Amino acid sequence: SKTIHVIGGGLAGCEAAWQIAKRGLSVTLHEMRPHRPTPAHQTDGLAELVCSNSLRSDDADYNAVGLLHEEMRRAGSLIMDCADRNKVPAGGALAVDRDGFSASVEQALLAQGNVTIMREEIAGLPPAAWEQVVIATGPLTSAPLAEAIRGITGEDSLAFFDAIAPIIHKDSIDFSKAWFQSRYDKGEGSDYINCPLSKDEYYAFIDALLAGEKVPFHEWEKDTPYFEGCLPVEVMAERGRETLAYGPGKPVGLTNPNGPKPYAVVQLRQDNKLGTLYNMVGFQTKLRHGEQARIFRMIPGLENAEFARLGGLHRNTFVNGPRVLDATLRLKAQPRLRLAGQITGCEGYVESSAIGLLAGLAAAAEALATDFVAPPATTALGAILAHVTGGAHADTYQPMNINFGLFPPAPERDERGKKIKGRDRKKLYSDRARADLEPWLSQI
Ligand code: FAD
């Protein structure tokens, strides 16, 4: 049978190679380190964790990433197996000895027999003779390959930086203060959620933004271009105390049904098709995460906001998944190329590994001429796959961690009509996911 080529020996590439090899197919894994380093990797090991040694919460009942861990273990994940075997104490989190973890991944792949590891950069489009390729080159994909992918997807569909505005769970917004309305009632007329600020509230907010502690850029990120269209909100505030009130926060074309005409507004736009998540329009930021939560909760209506993700600005190569990928993670424009890991627009070690697992299953199914069955949308695996292949809106697409806001909403009330809140609601998501994963597992 023909060889499947996996480019990138990071978390996603190793997981994909493992899933393919486990199904009896031969795999060549191409990793450019140590010949060509990245600005963040320190070693020449496969599956190197570039920063924290934590794979985050291991609580599968109440935490979406913990649930993703459990689902990946049940689906035979190499990354989860090696993480479990190299676990170090970290309370409820799954943290690992990073060198032991990396070595375990490499040993497991080598022991597989049908995996060849080549230390070389693929500097441009993979050779035409390679009929099936998985590209898992991550947030720091080398420039010639990134440019080649950009050539296929089009300039607007591959980014070199993320500029992330915070995303909020809609059900944590206080609608006795906030209201739905589009400026001048354009579009559907109620596409945006608006939060009103009085003059005093506005100035207090600007002062907090200016004083808030920011995250410095890494040395190799210093030449980050600020695109005028997506300046960090605090940089906009530095240009003048009125810049926001006259810019994205101008209150024109809006009527506040809950009180007086505001001095400025903060608008939120629907972020996923399910309508469970809303992003803060124009609020990409380098503020520290703790500062973001504190300062953004000063906005009327957002006092109890729960953040599905906080803002940031990083070097990060990723495609516009919903626009350019098909349901099995292949580039629509060139289906022999399948993407996996963070380059698809998921975010984080675990999520990248999960998309590697699914890309591996899809590649193997294609090579074996069987159908790839996607995991149900109610599972964590299904939710993260849906995000990168079409659940998110293409025009505001930004990388995302797994969270329950990406799942189809669980019932809000029990049989007696009582509201299900907090931990109980999270448990509903996990229980439903567990039940729905079972039949899928028997199909893979
Ligand atoms: P990677 O793990 O980066 O693997 C990609 C591999 O492809 C690399 O080994 C690279 O050398 C190789 N490669 C690139 N181009 C080529 C080429 N042309 N030919 C051959 N090989 C190539 N996530 C977290 O969950 N927690 C964190 O604390 C965290 N901190 C981060 C800090 C930084 C500075 C960065 C950049 C990212 C961080 N992330 C973190 C995100 C994390 O890096 C990714 O989620 C994860 O590593 C992505 O996995 P991946 O397999 O897609 O990419």
Side-chain angles (χ1 to χ4, degrees), residues 67-87:
L67 179 64
L68 186 54
H69 289 171
E70 182 185 284
E71 292 182 5
M72 290 172 69
R73 288 184 181 110
R74 291 172 70 191
S77 159
L78 172 68
I79 294 298
M80 289 309 301
D81 180 48
C82 294
D84 288 336
R85 286 194 276 125
N86 290 280
K87 196 175 152 122

Side-chain angles (χ1 to χ4, degrees), residues 161-183:
F161 289 88
D162 54 34
I164 296 165
I167 295 175
I168 294 178
H169 291 274
K170 186 183 86 184
D171 57 13
S172 68
I173 298 173
D174 178 358
F175 285 99
S176 70
K177 294 178 184 160
W179 76 99
F180 278 97
Q181 188 181 17
S182 300
R183 277 186 216 285

Side-chain angles (χ1 to χ4, degrees), residues 7-14 30-33 36-38 40-41 45-56 120-124 136-146 218 220-221 315 340-343 346-353 401:
I7 308 177
L11 293 160
C14 291
H30 307 261
E31 168 53 55
M32 69 177 181
R33 289 175 292 121
R36 187 164 306 277
T38 81
H41 290 80
L46 298 184
E48 176 182 333
L49 302 176
V50 288
C51 186
S52 156
N53 67 330
S54 170
L55 275 61
R56 319 211 301 283
E120 61 181 6
E121 179 188 8
I122 306 302
T137 44
L140 305 171
T141 296
S142 75
L145 179 56
H218 290 282
W220 44 271
E221 287 180 319
R315 215 183 115 188
Q342 190 152 316
I343 197 169
C346 62
E347 165 81 32
Y349 300 148
V350 185
E351 292 82 346
S352 298
S353 308
N401 285 122

Side-chain angles (χ1 to χ4, degrees), residues 179-249:
W179 76 99
F180 278 97
Q181 188 181 17
S182 300
R183 277 186 216 285
Y184 304 109
D185 299 311
K186 287 211 176 109
E188 287 296 303
S190 57
D191 290 347
Y192 289 82
I193 296 174
N194 303 280
C195 299
L197 292 116
S198 68
K199 198 167 184 172
D200 288 346
E201 286 163 344
Y202 174 76
Y203 286 126
F205 178 66
I206 295 295
D207 290 341
L209 270 185
L210 294 175
E213 209 186 325
K214 324 287 183 310
V215 184
F217 280 111
H218 290 282
E219 199 49 49
W220 44 271
E221 287 180 319
K222 288 242 167 81
D223 51 357
T224 305
Y226 281 149
F227 306 107
E228 283 297 312
C230 54
L231 282 180
V233 64
E234 62 276 7
V235 173
M236 230 188 284
E238 277 163 18
R239 293 187 170 180
R241 279 159 62 91
E242 302 298 341
T243 308
L244 285 174
Y246 285 93

